[in-house]
Amino acid sequence: MSIVLVVNAGSSSVKFETFAVGEDGEPRRSIKGQVDGIGTRPRLRASGSEGAVLVDRSYAVAEMPNAEAALAAAGAWMRADHDIHPAAVGHRVVHGGPDYDRPVLVDDEVIARLERYVPLAPLHQPHNLAPIRSIRARFPELPQVACFDTAFHRGHSAVADHFAIAERFYQEGVRRYGFHGLSYEYIADRLRTVAPEAAAGKVIVAHLGSGASMCALAAGRSIESTMSFTPLDGLPMGTRPGQIDPGVLLYLMGEKGMDAAALAHLLYHESGLKGLSGISNDMRELQASSDPRALFAVDHFVYRAGLSAGMLASALGGLDAFVFTAGIGENSAFIRARIAERLQWLGVGIDPGANAAHALRISSPDSRVAALVVPTDEELMIVRHTLAVLAEYDLRLEHDPEKWKPVSGKDHAPGRS
């Protein structure tokens, strides 16, 4: 039995999962964990496949100042307590730019190319790449696969991909990429099982979480997305504004003296639900609040979601199903109901009881458009891609603790595995 490790690293947390791969080649989730509070109150938590708590451990800030140290601590725990020595690692990488339209085996050239896209996803890309570099330095022979959030959207038409600016910029990579592709790819695949009639038709998927976007699927293929050049576009999010007139940015630069760094901080950290409400970027807190600013932020989120759905329905030329997924989409019956109200003109009707029960199908019997709640699983998509890439390169999964020991001198720092 070989183990594949899946890593999804952010600025203050590292999520990780391990999948056992048997002789049949099917991955089975064995451990799900994360390290959060990196740099402030580091905490390692993990559970087994049945939900039993395996570890809940706090660390001093000095032991875990960054994502590399966090992943190393998680690796040390997995090796010491569970004798886990991954035979391969799959990573979520937000931006693949114009170079990568599919997952890729990591080498130094790939890392160098992906570094170029840090300015396009500064909230994500540096943290996605940090564990890749760290693992490559300490386990140079361990296969790593980069799986891109942009790849699923690379089949968009040129009309959909272009901005209305000079063509030379498109050739340089300034284009509408789209994100959350691993989530949408999983949903497209999952629909074939849970709602095959929808999977073959025209579907809008709403990935609603701290990061939020929507995607138009035609027979399981992405044809349009609300996000574009960076993960800033489209729907308002936890701390990002979504669609904004570029003239606003020119105004802030010219009249308020804001430079690129100040604008980046505003757009990535102080906008969206947090900016509108002045209270929180967490939809749960906003829903529970009676503060008018919180109510306004929720109203704005719902309103923009409705507008975006209309745009995507136009791109599809109709609508057969609307799918809610991700943290808000899967768990907030209130937000689902509010958005569905704005989609009645498209033929969406909600069954209140099914919605409250978080059923798979929440549409009413007379609804012309199916409304579904389908939990996403980006990690499963990553492990599938990782196994496919290894097979493409004829690389066998090897469970060899001796082979995957850290290189000399790389495994002795405090808090590192």
Side-chain angles (χ1 to χ4, degrees), residues 236-241 270-280 286 291-301 304:
M237 297 165 246
T239 61
R240 287 169 270 168
E270 299 296 334
S271 299
L273 298 176
K274 181 180 179 181
L276 283 171
S277 70
I279 297 171
S280 175
L286 297 179
D291 190 306
R293 297 174 300 166
L295 301 177
F296 178 78
V298 173
D299 286 345
H300 183 86
F301 180 85
R304 300 303 302 187

Side-chain angles (χ1 to χ4, degrees), residues 91-104 109-118 120-121 124-125 128-129 146-154 172-173 175 177-182 228-231:
H91 296 266
R92 178 195 178 209
V93 178
V94 165
H95 217 305
D99 293 330
Y100 299 110
D101 61 358
R102 64 195 67 191
V104 63
E109 180 182 352
V110 168
I111 294 174
R113 283 178 175 269
L114 295 178
E115 289 280 3
R116 291 160 36 194
Y117 309 130
V118 167
L120 307 189
H124 303 87
Q125 197 85 347
N128 298 158
L129 297 181
C147 303
F148 305 105
D149 259 347
T150 50
F152 185 62
H153 304 294
R154 289 297 305 280
E172 293 170 6
R175 58 187 71 174
Y177 290 100
F179 297 88
H180 292 138
L182 292 164
S228 60
F229 182 56
T230 73

Side-chain angles (χ1 to χ4, degrees), residues 335-351:
I335 293 297
R336 291 195 299 260
R338 289 287 308 279
I339 291 175
E341 285 178 13
R342 304 202 67 88
L343 305 183
Q344 289 180 358
W345 67 278
L346 282 170
V348 178
I350 290 291
D351 181 321

Side-chain angles (χ1 to χ4, degrees), residues 1-4 19-28 383 387 397:
M1 187 77 70
S2 297
I3 299 293
V4 175
F19 290 82
V21 183
E23 293 297 326
D24 61 359
E26 284 298 314
R28 295 173 177 83
V383 75
L387 293 173
L397 287 173

